[in-house]
Amino acid sequence: MKNKQLQWLTKVAILAAMASILMLLEFPLPFIAPSFYELDFSEVPVLIGAFSLGPIAGVVIEAIKILLNFIMNGSITGGVGELSNFVLGVVFVLPAALIYKHKKTKLSALLGLVVGGLSMVVLGCFINAYVMLPLYSNFMPLEAILAQAAAIWPVIDNTFKFVLLCVAPFNLIKVILVSAVTMLLYKRLSPLLKGKKM
């Protein structure tokens, strides 16, 4: 029993370390959203861990990833960006892992990624509009955020248009790319993590 727990913790730690490293390799999508919205592939190891080790492992990996990144990089947003990354990561990973846990097939994994991805896109709009942007406005005035967005999409003049034209497309692109990479890698990596193929 202790050996299984140790193996679980070791795999979680390795995947979290990989995710935190990938989080450092972030890049903006300046044709979609202001530059402080940056895309990375750190959710790939989180999803692989959630599929292989279970939904709880996914949440733990996500939390450790954020903590490690916070230790390595600090925060220029008082933790708001990190909190947003954690919440949206869990919103994406948890439904995907729960669906896959119910039936471990490739189709189920794909369905989980679609449901988790749509949850992240939709809830991401509400979370950004009502929680993250108000918190982030303590570090950058909301008017400045909307002005940056209006430089990309001139019609943006309020929070609703911002989340609709910047946040939703940004999260959709992230979900599609991360899901595609996860589907490509999971079958190859799952024998190392679990001893089974998808």
Side-chain angles (χ1 to χ4, degrees):
M1 186 68 178
K2 285 185 178 179
N3 190 40
K4 282 187 176 181
Q5 289 176 338
L6 184 60
Q7 285 181 2
W8 188 89
L9 288 170
T10 302
K11 291 170 185 176
V12 164
I14 290 169
L15 288 165
M18 290 170 59
S20 65
I21 290 167
L22 287 173
M23 200 174 172
L24 297 173
L25 307 174
E26 55 188 4
F27 55 93
L29 297 177
F31 55 93
I32 294 288
S35 60
F36 54 85
Y37 278 85
E38 293 186 306
L39 189 147
D40 63 67
F41 288 89
S42 64
E43 248 62 67
V44 172
V46 182
L47 282 163
I48 288 172
F51 283 164
S52 297
L53 307 171
I56 292 172
V59 175
V60 173
I61 294 166
E62 186 73 40
I64 296 172
K65 173 195 86 169
I66 297 297
L67 181 62
L68 288 173
N69 186 266
F70 190 81
I71 291 168
M72 289 187 294
N73 270 352
S75 176
I76 59 171
T77 63
V80 175
E82 290 74 21
L83 176 63
S84 177
N85 194 296
F86 173 73
V87 171
L88 292 180
V90 170
V91 166
F92 181 21
V93 170
L94 197 55
L98 287 169
I99 290 170
Y100 182 68
K101 184 181 179 182
H102 179 68
K103 190 175 182 182
K104 297 187 176 183
T105 64
K106 198 166 191 174
L107 184 60
S108 179
L110 184 58
L111 176 63
L113 290 168
V114 169
V115 172
L118 289 176
S119 299
M120 180 178 162
V121 172
V122 174
L123 290 177
C125 289
F126 289 98
I127 291 167
N128 270 272
Y130 296 109
V131 181
M132 298 308 170
L133 283 173
L135 287 173
Y136 194 71
S137 66
N138 292 317
F139 302 92
M140 178 186 288
L142 185 58
E143 295 76 16
I145 295 171
L146 295 178
Q148 286 190 33
I152 304 166
W153 304 105
V155 295
I156 293 176
D157 56 10
N158 58 45
T159 302
F160 175 77
K161 290 179 182 177
F162 174 75
V163 297
L164 190 65
L165 295 174
C166 290
V167 176
F170 179 90
N171 284 338
L172 182 61
I173 290 170
K174 179 173 182 174
V175 160
I176 290 169
L177 293 175
V178 167
S179 296
V181 173
T182 300
M183 290 298 290
L184 286 171
L185 292 180
Y186 180 66
K187 188 173 181 180
R188 293 170 176 82
L189 294 178
S190 64
L192 296 173
L193 293 165
K194 203 171 179 183
K196 288 183 180 180
K197 293 188 178 182
M198 186 169 69

